[in-house]
Amino acid sequence: MTHIPDDHPRYVSLKIREKIVEGVQMAITSMQGLVAQGRGEAFDYLIGERTIESAAVAERVAVAYLLIAQKPVISVNGNTAALVPRALVSLADIIGAQLEVNLFHRSDARVHRIIEHLKAHGAGNVLGLKGDARLDLSHDRAIVDQEGIYAADVVLVPLEDGDRCKKLVDMGKIVISVDLNPLSRTSLSATVTIVDNVTRALDNMVQFTKEMKKDSKEQLRSIIDSYDNRKILADAMYAIQENLKNQTEREGIEWI
Amino acid sequence: MTHIPDDHPRYVSLKIREKIVEGVQMAITSMQGLVAQGRGEAFDYLIGERTIESAAVAERVAVAYLLIAQKPVISVNGNTAALVPRALVSLADIIGAQLEVNLFHRSDARVHRIIEHLKAHGAGNVLGLKGDARLDLSHDRAIVDQEGIYAADVVLVPLEDGDRCKKLVDMGKIVISVDLNPLSRTSLSATVTIVDNVTRALDNMVQFTKEMKKDSKEQLRSIIDSYDNRKILADAMYAIQENLKNQTEREGIEWI
């Protein structure tokens, strides 16, 4: 593995990248996942590589939805399995949610490896191998478990494909996305859009769940009722705009 | 290879991604190149996945520089070799430029494979294996051919590292970069910064060269003399801002 000095200005981002490369070497992350990671790096750079205020709000609302859910499911792909296996397991544990592996570049062998990887990080039962139900989509992310995502009322989909996110919403589910692009089809169609790096988002959500677990259903409901996802998206775009303006001026380029 | 349905809204971008993955499978593109591709995808999305007006201006100026050059060289890395082998060969042919392979993650075997890949796409002589000169840099992109990049007066560096771009400029060369981030160190230090996807930029430049080949030296000089690279960078940032604003409003999100 490449040595990254801990005083490097982009230390955190580079360490995250190393985790994804390890994921490819373990054959749990696809090569396309590496490209997706690069895409995420660019958008994370645009929001300043920090949890913006509106994202923290969305993360709390997401936790409220997960805590009042009848059948919450956390969807896991090759990138999230490589990046945040422990946080996924912790969140599923304290929420009482199911983990389900779901891949765009699907093979049974890779689903199996990801399940083993999650179990090595403390997961109990992990769904995704059965694939006994289908969403109405033309690619392999259509394949889901009947008792898992298909039957879920609340689904957390970190790093999701836009059409699958929309399909899950169309099926009447509450869908929580984690996506650094506020204008992606996923971000636009989700019930709750978290514009944050998945590594920060999952850590925050574990923390918030610990705090909010004692709240009453009424308290959780009132957090949800006061939430406006369109406003969260507008705030994220404003954060990007401000950040670009500041960077441009810092380089002595005119901001027209 | 994964099947990408041709009704997928991001079909073109995903097909380009597949080419880079094939590059890795052929061992001409590095894994780090995949992450770089992803960062490029994000910035391409920001400019609307099209050639913006200021980029077309920069591409014409780049062609003018290449046509009046005494010793033009086109630098090729693992990503450009995978993405645009045929366009690189065509451009070198009609300009009368040398192709030179130059890699950050260098091995003689990989240089050799890229040379063979370019030859399979019609290239004649390709430089880069000799490596008999050095730029004053601490990494392997320092290694160049004496008769190629080292002696060149005009160098086209698609997808370049910031410090090498700056070094070539400091050596008195005209440096033309292709980089989708207008604020990258490469974009900020190049003589002519083309903020465009390398697949579109190269195709455009081949077309422009065919049109401009008949122009007199005076005509080419006057195209160059009227050019202001800082204005091009400001225009690119404006295009990003406008594109984000339009997309935001199109989606019914408030632009704050």
Side-chain angles (χ1 to χ4, degrees):
Chain A
M1 206 206 304
T2 311
H3 173 69
I4 301 160
D6 57 13
D7 61 346
H8 194 289
R10 296 196 51 252
Y11 179 79
V12 175
S13 173
L14 292 172
K15 287 302 280 185
I16 294 172
R17 192 189 292 180
E18 288 294 317
K19 279 194 195 168
I20 280 281
V21 171
E22 282 172 55
V24 175
Q25 284 156 352
M26 287 188 286
I28 63 176
T29 306
S30 70
M31 292 236 233
Q32 288 83 353
L34 223 44
V35 183
Q37 170 69 17
R39 224 177 140 89
E41 277 183 14
F43 281 106
D44 201 12
Y45 180 71
L46 292 183
I47 61 166
E49 292 177 338
R50 73 208 149 92
T51 297
I52 58 176
E53 212 180 301
S54 58
V57 171
E59 285 157 4
R60 283 186 181 277
V61 172
V63 167
Y65 268 121
L66 287 164
L67 285 171
I68 61 163
Q70 296 297 315
K71 219 172 164 20
V73 175
I74 302 173
S75 185
V76 179
N77 69 10
N79 281 42
T80 50
L83 289 172
V84 284
R86 206 171 306 271
L88 287 167
V89 173
S90 297
L91 188 63
D93 266 1
I94 48 175
I95 295 279
Q98 293 266 28
L99 292 166
E100 177 170 336
V101 177
N102 179 273
L103 306 176
F104 190 94
H105 301 277
R106 184 187 174 97
S107 76
D108 278 357
R110 197 150 78 89
V111 174
H112 186 74
R113 275 193 297 273
I114 292 174
I115 290 174
E116 290 309 307
H117 183 66
L118 292 170
K119 286 186 173 170
H121 286 84
N125 186 38
V126 181
L127 305 175
L129 253 183
K130 242 188 231 167
D132 52 355
R134 249 194 106 86
L135 313 178
D136 179 24
L137 292 168
S138 62
H139 54 70
D140 280 356
R141 289 203 93 163
I143 304 167
V144 293
D145 277 20
Q146 176 72 47
E147 59 171 323
I149 287 170
Y150 197 84
D153 57 343
V154 179
V155 193
L156 170 63
V157 288
L159 316 183
E160 183 57 73
D161 206 54
D163 53 352
R164 196 171 84 116
C165 182
K166 190 171 182 313
K167 185 61 62 183
L168 294 168
V169 172
D170 289 347
M171 289 167 79
K173 301 178 195 302
I174 300 295
V175 182
I176 301 155
S177 68
V178 182
D179 190 320
L180 280 157
N181 176 4
L183 297 180
S184 73
R185 292 171 306 137
T186 297
S187 289
L188 291 167
S189 58
T191 318
V192 179
T193 302
I194 297 170
V195 181
D196 202 358
N197 191 302
V198 72
T199 62
R200 296 190 302 266
L202 268 285
D203 281 350
N204 291 345
M205 287 171 77
V206 168
Q207 190 53 43
F208 294 158
T209 307
K210 286 176 185 166
E211 294 165 25
M212 292 163 67
K213 227 178 143 55
K214 311 169 217 77
D215 292 357
S216 68
K217 283 240 154 106
E218 288 66 37
Q219 286 175 301
L220 296 173
R221 273 269 158 233
S222 93
I223 291 173
I224 289 170
D225 289 344
S226 65
Y227 181 71
D228 178 357
N229 202 53
R230 305 305 272 184
K231 191 182 170 315
I232 287 303
L233 296 178
D235 285 350
M237 290 309 298
Y238 181 72
I240 288 173
Q241 189 196 163
E242 276 298 291
N243 198 40
L244 284 178
K245 179 170 184 277
N246 291 339
Q247 277 188 63
T248 303
E249 291 176 344
R250 204 179 307 133
E251 298 298 347
I253 308 289
E254 191 189 356
W255 180 256
I256 307 173
Chain B
M1 204 205 305
T2 309
H3 172 70
I4 299 161
D6 57 14
D7 62 345
H8 196 291
R10 292 193 45 254
Y11 180 78
V12 174
S13 174
L14 291 173
K15 287 303 279 186
I16 295 174
R17 192 186 287 186
E18 288 295 319
K19 279 196 197 169
I20 280 282
V21 171
E22 282 173 54
V24 176
Q25 285 157 350
M26 287 189 284
I28 63 177
T29 306
S30 70
M31 291 257 224
Q32 289 82 352
L34 284 180
V35 182
Q37 170 69 15
R39 283 201 304 272
E41 278 185 11
F43 281 104
D44 200 13
Y45 170 90
L46 293 183
I47 60 165
E49 292 176 340
R50 75 206 147 93
T51 298
I52 58 175
E53 213 179 300
S54 59
V57 171
E59 285 158 5
R60 283 186 181 276
V61 172
V63 167
Y65 269 120
L66 287 164
L67 284 171
I68 60 161
Q70 296 297 314
K71 225 175 161 14
V73 174
I74 301 173
S75 185
V76 179
N77 70 10
N79 281 41
T80 51
L83 289 172
V84 285
R86 207 172 304 273
L88 287 167
V89 173
S90 297
L91 187 63
D93 265 359
I94 47 175
I95 294 278
Q98 292 269 27
L99 291 166
E100 177 169 336
V101 177
N102 179 272
L103 307 175
F104 190 94
H105 302 277
R106 184 189 174 95
S107 76
D108 279 356
R110 196 150 79 88
V111 174
H112 186 74
R113 276 193 296 271
I114 292 174
I115 290 174
E116 290 308 308
H117 183 66
L118 292 171
K119 286 186 174 172
H121 286 85
N125 187 40
V126 180
L127 306 176
L129 253 184
K130 242 188 231 167
D132 52 354
R134 252 194 102 87
L135 312 178
D136 180 23
L137 292 167
S138 61
H139 54 69
D140 281 354
R141 288 205 93 164
I143 303 167
V144 293
D145 278 18
Q146 175 73 48
E147 58 170 326
I149 288 170
Y150 197 84
D153 55 344
V154 179
V155 193
L156 171 62
V157 289
L159 317 182
E160 185 57 73
D161 288 294
D163 52 353
R164 196 172 83 116
C165 182
K166 191 172 180 313
K167 184 61 64 185
L168 293 168
V169 170
D170 289 347
M171 288 169 79
K173 300 179 196 301
I174 299 297
V175 182
I176 301 155
S177 68
V178 182
D179 189 321
L180 280 156
N181 176 4
L183 298 180
S184 72
R185 291 172 309 140
T186 296
S187 289
L188 291 167
S189 59
T191 319
V192 179
T193 302
I194 296 171
V195 180
D196 202 358
N197 191 301
V198 72
T199 63
R200 296 190 303 268
L202 268 284
D203 281 349
N204 291 344
M205 286 172 77
V206 168
Q207 190 53 46
F208 294 160
T209 307
K210 286 176 185 167
E211 293 165 25
M212 292 163 67
K213 225 176 144 56
K214 311 169 215 77
D215 291 357
S216 67
K217 283 237 154 111
E218 288 65 37
Q219 285 174 302
L220 297 173
R221 272 270 158 233
S222 94
I223 292 173
I224 289 169
D225 288 345
S226 65
Y227 182 72
D228 178 356
N229 203 53
R230 304 303 274 185
K231 191 182 170 313
I232 288 302
L233 296 178
D235 284 350
M237 291 309 297
Y238 180 72
I240 288 173
Q241 191 195 164
E242 275 299 290
N243 191 44
L244 287 177
K245 179 170 184 276
N246 292 339
Q247 275 189 64
T248 304
E249 291 176 344
R250 201 181 308 132
E251 300 298 348
I253 309 289
E254 191 189 356
W255 180 255
I256 306 172

